[in-house]
Amino acid sequence: MNAPVPTHRPIQQLPDQLISQIAAGEVVERPSAVVKELLENALDAGATQITVRLEEGGVKRIAITDNGRGIEPDQMPLALARHATSKIASLTDLENVATLGFRGEALASIASVAAVSITSRTKDAPHAWEIVGSHLGQVVPSSGPLGTTIDVQDLYFNTPARRKFLKSEQTEYGHCAEVVRRIALARPDVSFSLTHNGRTIDHWAVGEMARRSSQILGNDFAEARIAIDEVAGPLRLFGYAGLPTASKARADGQFFYVNGRFVRDKVLVHAVRAAYQDVLHGDRFPSYVLALDLDPSLVDVNVHPSKTEVRFRDGRAVHQFVFHAVQRALAQTSATAHGSVPAPLTAAEITPSSSNANANWRRPHEQTSFGAQLAPTFSPSPYPPGSRWDAPATQGVAQTTANYGALFADNERTGAAASSSPSAPLQVAPMPAVSSAPSNDDFPLGFALAQLHGIYILAQNTRGLVLVDMHAAHERILYEQLKNALDAQVEGQDMGVQSLLIPVTFFADAIEVATANDHQDTLKALGFDIAALSPTTLAVRAVPTLLKNADAQTLARDVLRDVREFGGSRVLIERRNELLGTLACHTAVRANRILTIPEMNALLRQMESTERADQCNHGRPTWVQLDIAALDKLFLRGQ
């Protein structure tokens, strides 16, 4: 295909009209761009009420009315002139932009490709004034309330080639409505009304951010979000982050604002995405409404004509602040958010009687180097029926259970008896009456009642019924403990390692043997001792204490595969969490494993003290709450 031959012309000054039309190509991309510019001007004018009227998707008409300060009649021609603005006057102002608009190009560009009229009235004026067309138009008396109305009609009437590139009316309206939603979401202190073809589509009254975000993002977001409000030096992040269980298949529920301006910034998007990494599946997208406030001198908003891109003076600091703020919010669980985590047992409380000391006291090598008890192993309880199951029998859960021990005394006797046979069904005796119910503040997830189909734990708390996916919950607990153990090792402490009395040997191919030989330091850092016994045989001699009950051969193969594929350093840095998640999944208690009541309660207590315990490593919920009111409704009680 032959390229067009350029026409040779002398260099000349372009006429103002053509300059404005060229600028309109950047500023007025489609009707929604006009809506955005005019809404920003209205907010900069101090408006508290804004009405947006659209016809034919904004192509035929865009009329925006506000109750802001208005424009003096002698300044109305300047409002339509190129590079004329009241928002900046010097380079210092440009480096400290505190308004949404500042370029002074929008109205002039719009007027070059559409029929524009401005009607405005200031507080002290006896009536409104109007100007039509361009900055060359006459300012004439008019009628109207305090504020400004900008009426844009027949977009691209004089550039028909541009109009051909527009989509259908419904598509263009959708883009306009999205712009209104974005801006309305950032300013709950301003009321917005949106009409299309004479029909009111949306109206949002002045309110709080919680209400405005519920109205725009829907009840699903309102019922599954976490409030965030953190400050660090000149940075403040506030708003709402959606729970991972309310994630979506598309990223259309993500709204980020910098000093009130909606932005699509790679630094911010990556920071939020990284914060969700541990609780969200890779192909899902979280919903959030987050606002970052900082000194205007620390961010450059003059990067792109659309003003949706920004550049931070210290992008790394902003990234880390946003990442840690969102991560801390997600680390809270719905259970502990309603109450406090019980304090650990004292040494006196967890010391077993002398008769059971040798049988029940955890051996030193089964503790982490930083002194914390390890995850419940869910092995059958060594305690005889009727004994106290709230100390070492819980396999290291540091919780005091004296205040609900009596509640499950009969259950414990039945459960302990059943635990002698792992395949025996779990029997639950009737719950005895008690004089006082334990506090939900102390144990938000309540106390175990039974196990359902070897998959779910049924528990009771003061709100009603709690259902727990035992594998997903245990997987999250182990995953967090593995991360903590590895982090402690980075800080100079040793990871707890369990030496195997009899090494596990298995056939290995030449690549697996070579990987084990070449990456001994990485394997040791992860808590594994894997040695080559022959060119075709590997022996697992030690595993992390947290994974001691898992299949050693499966764990070894998973570790060797990741180390071989990504390299030792990448596994420990970039791929660390993914590998640990895999190890936790293989180690977590499996379906159809019969648990005793003490073991189930041990899991509940661990969940209450574990960060991000509301979701497994893949973003699925680990537990749900059924309130008494919901149960009453199911059974038509009170009706």
Side-chain angles (χ1 to χ4, degrees):
M1 184 174 181
N2 295 328
V5 179
T7 302
H8 296 285
R9 294 192 181 99
I11 298 174
Q12 57 187 342
Q13 184 73 43
L14 295 176
D16 286 344
Q17 177 71 3
L18 183 56
I19 293 174
S20 295
Q21 289 175 337
I22 293 173
E26 297 179 342
V27 177
V28 191
E29 179 184 3
R30 62 195 326 158
S32 60
V34 176
V35 174
K36 174 181 179 293
E37 297 291 344
L38 299 187
L39 283 178
E40 290 180 346
N41 283 344
L43 293 173
D44 286 341
T48 59
Q49 297 176 4
I50 299 177
T51 299
V52 181
R53 289 171 291 170
L54 304 174
E55 294 181 18
E56 296 183 7
V59 178
K60 182 178 180 181
R61 188 184 187 194
I62 299 171
I64 295 183
T65 301
D66 67 67
N67 67 340
R69 290 186 295 272
I71 306 172
E72 297 287 347
D74 61 334
Q75 293 188 334
M76 292 180 73
L78 283 173
L80 289 169
R82 294 185 63 248
H83 301 159
T85 180
S86 63
K87 300 170 185 178
I88 60 171
S90 66
L91 179 61
T92 301
D93 294 337
L94 185 60
E95 293 175 345
N96 295 271
V97 174
T99 55
L100 296 174
F102 57 89
R103 292 176 179 269
E105 294 182 4
L107 286 177
S109 298
I110 294 168
S112 71
V113 293
V116 175
S117 67
I118 301 177
T119 304
S120 189
R121 180 180 177 181
T122 58
K123 181 176 62 174
D124 300 328
H127 56 77
W129 295 85
E130 183 182 22
I131 184 172
V132 178
S134 70
H135 66 288
L136 301 177
Q138 295 294 317
V139 179
V140 297
S142 184
S143 61
L146 172 66
T148 301
T149 295
I150 300 181
D151 199 337
V152 179
Q153 298 188 35
D154 296 326
L155 191 61
Y156 302 130
F157 76 96
N158 56 355
T159 54
R162 293 285 306 279
R163 195 161 184 164
K164 292 179 181 178
F165 284 94
L166 296 179
K167 303 301 182 182
S168 68
E169 175 182 326
Q170 194 59 34
T171 298
E172 296 301 338
Y173 166 73
H175 286 290
C176 292
E178 180 65 16
V179 167
V180 177
R181 291 173 69 239
R182 288 174 186 166
I183 294 179
L185 196 53
R187 294 297 300 271
D189 58 324
V190 178
S191 69
F192 291 83
S193 292
L194 172 63
T195 67
H196 185 224
N197 293 336
R199 185 168 65 94
T200 299
I201 306 299
D202 285 306
H203 176 76
W204 302 296
V206 172
E208 300 296 328
M209 174 62 76
R211 181 183 178 188
R212 180 66 60 85
S213 59
S214 300
Q215 292 172 328
I216 294 180
L217 272 70
N219 291 332
D220 290 344
F221 179 77
E223 295 171 358
R225 64 186 180 187
I226 305 170
I228 297 177
D229 194 345
E230 291 209 18
V231 178
L235 304 176
R236 180 196 177 200
L237 183 72
F238 60 97
Y240 294 96
L243 293 176
T245 48
S247 62
K248 305 174 69 175
R250 297 190 303 165
D252 58 352
Q254 300 180 350
F255 298 84
F256 213 116
Y257 301 87
V258 174
N259 288 349
R261 183 191 309 276
F262 175 80
V263 299
R264 293 190 185 95
D265 181 75
K266 294 180 180 179
V267 171
L268 299 176
V269 170
H270 184 272
V272 177
R273 185 71 183 179
Y276 274 92
Q277 184 178 8
D278 273 357
V279 292
L280 196 63
H281 195 274
D283 59 356
R284 302 290 294 178
F285 297 90
S287 296
Y288 53 81
V289 181
L290 297 172
L292 177 67
D293 281 358
L294 72 166
D295 190 321
S297 64
L298 300 179
V299 57
D300 182 5
V301 298
N302 191 25
V303 177
H304 191 274
S306 67
K307 294 175 290 189
T308 57
E309 298 179 16
V310 295
R311 182 182 295 114
F312 296 103
R313 179 174 295 181
D314 189 346
R316 178 175 176 79
V318 171
H319 181 282
Q320 290 300 99
F321 169 68
V322 172
F323 166 72
H324 288 296
V326 177
Q327 188 184 54
R328 279 191 291 269
L330 295 175
Q332 304 173 24
T333 65
S334 298
T336 55
H338 299 292
S340 57
V341 178
L345 294 174
T346 64
E349 288 178 298
I350 62 175
T351 302
S353 62
S354 57
S355 61
N356 290 327
N358 292 332
N360 303 315
W361 186 245
R362 186 174 292 279
R363 293 178 294 277
H365 66 264
E366 294 180 336
Q367 300 182 13
T368 62
S369 59
F370 46 95
Q373 295 288 339
L374 298 178
T377 58
F378 301 107
S379 59
S381 172
Y383 279 80
S387 64
R388 261 192 90 206
W389 49 263
D390 58 312
T394 60
Q395 297 297 321
V397 181
Q399 310 293 344
T400 175
T401 55
N403 63 341
Y404 70 96
L407 187 64
F408 291 98
D410 290 344
N411 295 28
E412 178 227 340
R413 283 191 288 272
T414 304
S419 69
S420 60
S421 175
S423 60
L426 183 65
Q427 302 294 327
V428 181
M431 186 170 62
V434 293
S435 59
S436 61
S439 170
N440 185 53
D441 289 342
D442 292 335
F443 302 100
L445 292 181
F447 318 115
L449 299 173
Q451 193 176 10
L452 181 65
H453 287 290
I455 301 173
Y456 302 105
I457 294 173
L458 279 62
Q460 171 184 310
N461 63 3
T462 57
R463 294 176 58 192
L465 178 67
V466 174
L467 296 174
V468 178
D469 183 330
M470 66 182 192
H471 171 76
H474 193 209
E475 182 180 357
R476 167 59 67 178
I477 292 169
L478 288 174
Y479 175 54
E480 294 295 330
Q481 290 178 329
L482 283 169
K483 287 198 301 181
N484 292 337
L486 200 55
D487 289 341
Q489 186 182 43
V490 172
E491 296 172 3
Q493 304 179 45
D494 292 332
M495 174 182 281
V497 175
Q498 173 70 61
S499 298
L500 303 182
L501 183 62
I502 300 176
V504 175
T505 60
F506 61 94
F507 173 81
D509 58 34
I511 295 178
E512 288 177 321
V513 173
T515 302
N517 289 332
D518 295 342
H519 295 279
Q520 282 295 311
D521 291 342
T522 299
L523 296 174
K524 182 178 179 181
L526 292 169
F528 288 88
D529 183 357
I530 304 175
L533 298 184
S534 74
T536 59
T537 305
L538 287 176
V540 184
R541 299 188 296 198
V543 297
T545 306
L546 292 169
L547 308 180
K548 63 180 181 180
N549 292 325
D551 185 295
Q553 178 179 335
T554 301
L555 292 179
R557 289 191 184 277
D558 285 338
V559 171
L560 291 173
R561 183 188 64 246
D562 274 19
V563 170
R564 178 178 70 250
E565 184 174 353
F566 301 104
S569 60
R570 283 194 63 192
V571 163
L572 290 177
I573 299 174
E574 300 175 23
R575 302 276 303 180
R576 185 194 78 156
N577 290 350
E578 186 171 336
L579 173 60
L580 296 184
T582 300
L583 298 180
C585 185
H586 282 309
T587 310
V589 62
R590 294 292 180 181
N592 299 319
R593 169 69 187 276
I594 303 302
L595 304 182
T596 66
I597 290 290
E599 290 168 341
M600 287 187 269
N601 278 303
L603 181 62
L604 297 179
R605 301 293 77 81
Q606 282 282 25
M607 290 176 65
E608 291 168 348
S609 60
T610 298
E611 293 182 344
R612 307 171 188 87
D614 289 349
Q615 296 85 28
C616 74
N617 311 339
H618 311 293
R620 293 187 291 269
T622 59
W623 68 282
V624 295
Q625 174 81 59
L626 291 178
D627 295 342
I628 289 294
L631 296 173
D632 288 345
K633 185 177 180 180
L634 286 174
F635 291 97
L636 306 179
R637 290 180 60 87
Q639 299 184 21

